[in-house]
Amino acid sequence: MSVVAKKPRLSSMVRNMSESETLKMAQMARNLRAQGHDVISLAIGEPDFDTPDHIKMAAIKALTEGFTKYTPVPGIPELLDAVSKKFKRDNDLDYAPNQIVVSNGAKQSISNVAFALLEEGDECIIFAPYWVSYIEIVRMTGATPVIVSAGVEQDYKVTAEQVEAAITERTKMVLFSSPCNPSGAVFTKSELHAIADVIGKYEDIVVVSDEIYEYINYTDAGNTSIGTFESVKDRTVTVNGFAKGFAMTGWRLGFIGAPKWIADACNKIQGQYTSGANSFSQKAAVVALNSGLEASYKMRDEFRKRRDMCIDLLSEIPGFKVPTPEGAFYIFPNISTYFGKSDGTTTIKNADDFADYVMLNAYVGVVSGGAFGAPDCFRLSYAASEAQLREAIRRIKEVCARLS
Ligand code: PMP
Ligand code: GLU
């Protein structure tokens, strides 16, 4: 029997997967910088603040004390306890320690939940604009993402009626973030209540509420967790993490509170996949949660100042439709009036072209709205110094003026 020689090749899952656009644009900015260009990267969503000292000290202490071994898969007991108390204190949510799973970032938390619940034939409703990775994570499970979109005219917020219209007998999950990455929109209590009441009518749908920007919220009312509403209380997974609110992106620590049967499934998946999260990060996270939120609110206040400044400066650019975001550290202007315009060399056909044009001509890294399911927009992160933001927006204004 003759064997036909075949080259090894990547799985169809990877071949069909798109690269994370946020990480790609951040890398493009690094490459241009390495070539000697003066690049201001507002592409990646990462606080520019350092992790507060008291949190770092806790990790150093854990290291010196030799806390360097494997930890229980869902997290160390004192962190599960601290997260459970945090959910009660900040969100009025009742998740017992055995309903909590700590992972290597909220990204893994979301993946665990998706793999625990979704499979081919299922649909997952995702609100657009959405965070880049939601789509690919859902697609990896074999399920189909169903996009429900909200444009600038509705402040990028999907309504309960839209959710209802998108539900089919295959809907298994509804996934969204508030405060939202990339729009910065924050759902009000009554908006969430209406959405909860719609989902509440369908007993087999799980709500996944990504609240990773919880502490970066500028509204007087603050954050509402959809899991507090009676109609979805028993089937809401609340996702959160340490990356944004505590400036701990590199520590890789996220968590969920979930119905126990879902938490158990995530624990099982994680046990085969990555095991417990980083040991000394978890010790530091206990201190982060238990020592007050002063440092987080200080960062939030600084972000708010920058947001106000950026909104003022961006609204001076002709053709930009810029709603004022109420949370997170992103601004998401609609720039569709530039489509079809040219500087004589480059014609802007869509938001991808616009983001590339800004990157290559103004040397400012931004991300196309296409990556977030909003192809009329681009995302700018204002997690940068005031001076950098001023200069970046001045450059964007200048290169936009060349388009006619
Ligand atoms: N959800 C949203 C909305 C995000 O913006 C991010 C990006 N940090 C994540 C989840 C993932 O967070 P982590 O860095 O903890 O994996
Ligand atoms: N969540 C951040 C962002 O949207 C970090 C990058 C990523 O994980 O995709 O830029």
Side-chain angles (χ1 to χ4, degrees):
M1 196 178 73
S2 66
V3 177
V4 183
K6 270 203 217 152
K7 275 196 199 156
R9 64 172 188 167
L10 296 170
S11 66
S12 56
M13 183 193 81
V14 176
R15 281 187 276 124
N16 294 329
M17 183 193 287
S18 5
E19 189 182 345
S20 164
E21 196 70 21
T22 47
L23 303 183
K24 191 176 115 189
M25 291 307 271
Q27 189 55 44
M28 191 165 160
R30 279 184 215 114
N31 294 347
L32 285 169
R33 201 173 281 142
Q35 288 164 23
H37 297 291
D38 169 23
V39 179
I40 304 174
S41 180
L42 308 180
I44 199 158
E46 173 162 52
D48 54 321
F49 301 110
D50 197 2
T51 306
D53 278 342
H54 65 286
I55 301 176
K56 284 192 200 168
M57 292 315 291
I60 293 169
K61 181 164 176 281
L63 279 171
T64 351
E65 288 173 356
F67 196 74
T68 55
K69 304 282 197 269
Y70 287 136
T71 61
V73 174
I76 56 174
E78 55 199 296
L79 182 54
L80 300 180
D81 190 53
V83 170
S84 171
K85 291 196 172 106
K86 169 258 173 301
F87 273 132
K88 190 70 200 162
R89 176 191 72 193
D90 300 338
N91 312 100
D92 197 23
L93 290 169
D94 295 301
Y95 292 115
N98 67 4
Q99 292 179 266
I100 288 154
V101 180
V102 174
S103 304
N104 298 302
K107 209 176 247 185
Q108 188 185 17
S109 302
I110 297 162
S111 303
N112 281 346
V113 178
F115 277 97
L117 292 167
L118 297 174
E119 60 197 334
E120 210 173 320
D122 292 335
E123 293 177 352
C124 174
I125 294 179
I126 297 178
F127 296 1
Y130 48 73
W131 177 48
V132 261
S133 295
Y134 290 165
I135 298 289
E136 294 305 328
I137 291 172
V138 168
R139 286 180 61 220
M140 267 192 271
T141 68
T144 306
V146 173
I147 311 304
V148 180
S149 296
V152 66
E153 68 292 341
Q154 55 188 86
D155 282 337
Y156 301 120
K157 287 196 270 187
V158 162
T159 63
E161 291 73 32
Q162 287 180 284
V163 177
E164 179 123 56
I167 292 175
T168 71
E169 63 208 7
R170 296 178 154 202
T171 310
K172 188 90 172 274
M173 188 188 282
V174 175
L175 169 61
F176 67 97
S177 64
S178 176
C180 173
N181 178 3
S183 69
V186 174
F187 282 95
T188 64
K189 191 171 183 174
S190 63
E191 288 160 347
L192 287 174
H193 200 162
I195 292 171
D197 282 352
V198 162
I199 300 170
K201 292 191 247 168
Y202 304 86
E203 281 179 353
D204 46 356
I205 302 180
V206 171
V207 183
V208 181
S209 172
D210 182 348
E211 301 177 17
I212 196 166
Y213 294 94
E214 173 189 4
Y215 298 138
I216 310 169
N217 181 324
Y218 315 122
T219 63
D220 292 336
N223 186 64
T224 300
S225 295
I226 193 166
T228 52
F229 297 109
E230 210 50 51
S231 48
V232 292
K233 210 181 183 80
D234 296 333
R235 49 203 167 87
T236 296
V237 178
T238 308
V239 179
N240 211 319
F242 294 87
K244 316 292 173 170
F246 297 101
M248 291 173 70
T249 46
W251 297 65
R252 309 310 303 132
L253 224 48
F255 55 87
I256 54 162
K260 186 155 180 312
W261 61 280
I262 300 179
D264 287 347
C266 292
N267 190 359
K268 191 169 165 187
I269 294 170
Q270 189 163 298
Q272 291 289 18
Y273 216 54
T274 57
S275 293
N278 175 310
S279 58
F280 44 93
S281 287
Q282 292 188 64
K283 282 281 188 185
V286 173
V287 170
L289 288 179
N290 288 348
S291 54
L293 296 171
E294 221 172 286
S296 303
Y297 291 144
K298 225 169 127 188
M299 291 189 260
R300 175 203 59 194
D301 292 344
E302 185 54 37
F303 282 134
R304 188 207 310 254
K305 273 194 236 151
R306 296 177 191 174
R307 175 203 63 173
D308 292 344
M309 182 192 83
C310 290
I311 289 289
D312 283 350
L313 294 172
L314 286 166
S315 52
E316 286 170 14
I317 306 181
F320 274 43
K321 279 186 238 154
V322 211
T324 303
E326 295 184 311
F329 38 67
Y330 306 108
I331 298 183
F332 204 56
N334 176 306
I335 40 83
S336 54
T337 49
Y338 284 93
F339 297 169
K341 295 193 176 175
S342 169
D343 68 345
T345 313
T346 311
T347 302
I348 310 295
K349 294 182 296 303
N350 50 42
D352 290 1
D353 289 345
F354 185 87
D356 287 348
Y357 174 74
V358 167
M359 178 74 99
L360 296 172
N361 292 274
Y363 294 115
V364 176
V366 295
V367 186
S368 163
F372 306 103
D376 288 343
C377 306
F378 77 93
R379 189 189 79 174
L380 170 158
S381 157
Y382 52 89
S385 74
E386 215 179 286
Q388 282 176 314
L389 291 167
R390 268 185 198 286
E391 172 59 11
I393 297 172
R394 186 194 67 73
R395 291 189 204 172
I396 294 174
K397 189 175 179 183
E398 191 179 289
V399 299
C400 282
R402 293 184 212 154
L403 297 169
S404 59

